[in-house]
Amino acid sequence: MDKMMDKLTDKLIDKKFEQLFSAADIDQAVQSVAKQLNETCEGEWLAVCVLTGGLFFSADLTRRLTFPVQIESLKVTRYHNTTRGDKLVWHLKPRSELRGKQVLLIDDIFDEGKTLEALYDYCLEAGAEKVRTAILLDKQHDRKMVDYRPDVTGLKCPDKYVFGYGMDMEGQYRNWPGIYVLSDSV
Ligand code: IMP
Ligand code: MG
């Protein structure tokens, strides 16, 4: 893993970064989220991975769920590969029928909250019987734009732009195993 990180690090050229959470920290958080869901979810659920950021969290989380799940995905963006922006753009809608289903939305990070609230509303409007949300990171700030809050979160993260474990920084580094922040923003 160290050699791989050295190679990957070379690509960051003049940018320095710090690790916020190691792969082991993340694994522990995923276990905790799975435990809470396993204790509270009954019946069959449609687990919907919010691409692309939710990719690894969905993969790791769903493999720890002990209740029956079908797996779906959807793709929306709000940041357009920059660190700012507002508009929610649909790239892929779930192909499965949501009507009458118990839907578990799985995403990487709860920032201002607009994305998750919009997706929650979308699922209910599509006829989902119940919608729950599992988010790995809850960004700590007082700029939440919505009253909606995720049902289960794994880790609290500072109010910085973070990347790795599914999350990109300028389109890159989603495949890094931990979660990182640029040093000059620490
Ligand atoms: P929200 O609508 O402000 O809650 O934004 C949520 C979405 O923005 C997440 O699903 C991420 O895709 C993206 N996002 C927000 N903050 C970060 C970050 O620090 N790093 C990477 N992506 C982020
Ligand atoms: Mg996302």
Side-chain angles (χ1 to χ4, degrees), residues 146-165:
V146 294
D147 292 330
Y148 183 79
R149 292 291 178 271
D151 293 285
V152 191
T153 54
L155 294 161
K156 292 185 165 110
C157 86
D159 186 17
K160 307 285 181 192
Y161 194 82
V162 302
F163 59 96
Y165 196 69

Side-chain angles (χ1 to χ4, degrees), residues 59-131:
D60 289 342
L61 179 64
T62 52
R63 284 178 296 168
R64 291 183 181 277
L65 299 178
T66 51
F67 51 90
V69 286
Q70 288 178 13
I71 298 184
E72 246 300 351
S73 50
L74 60 79
K75 184 166 182 171
V76 286
T77 49
R78 196 183 148 212
Y79 280 75
H80 307 288
N81 291 339
T82 73
T83 51
R84 311 180 80 184
D86 209 359
K87 217 172 144 228
L88 198 66
V89 181
W90 276 97
H91 301 283
L92 174 73
K93 293 199 171 177
R95 291 192 69 186
S96 306
E97 176 64 64
L98 301 188
R99 185 160 302 282
K101 299 263 174 72
Q102 303 194 95
V103 174
L104 175 63
L105 285 170
I106 306 175
D107 201 2
D108 50 4
I109 186 163
F110 188 69
D111 185 9
E112 293 179 350
K114 284 185 181 172
T115 308
L116 196 65
E117 185 186 65
L119 294 177
Y120 177 84
D121 289 347
Y122 171 84
C123 293
L124 285 181
E125 276 161 27
E129 179 197 310
K130 201 180 273 181
V131 183

Side-chain angles (χ1 to χ4, degrees), residues 2-3 10 17 22 26 30 37 57 59 61 72 89 107 120 123 136 143 146 156-157 163 168:
D2 284 350
K3 273 202 177 135
D10 288 345
F17 62 92
S22 66
I26 295 169
V30 174
L37 292 170
F57 180 45
L61 179 64
E72 246 300 351
V89 181
D107 201 2
Y120 177 84
C123 293
L136 181 62
R143 289 176 284 101
V146 294
K156 292 185 165 110
C157 86
F163 59 96
D168 77 304

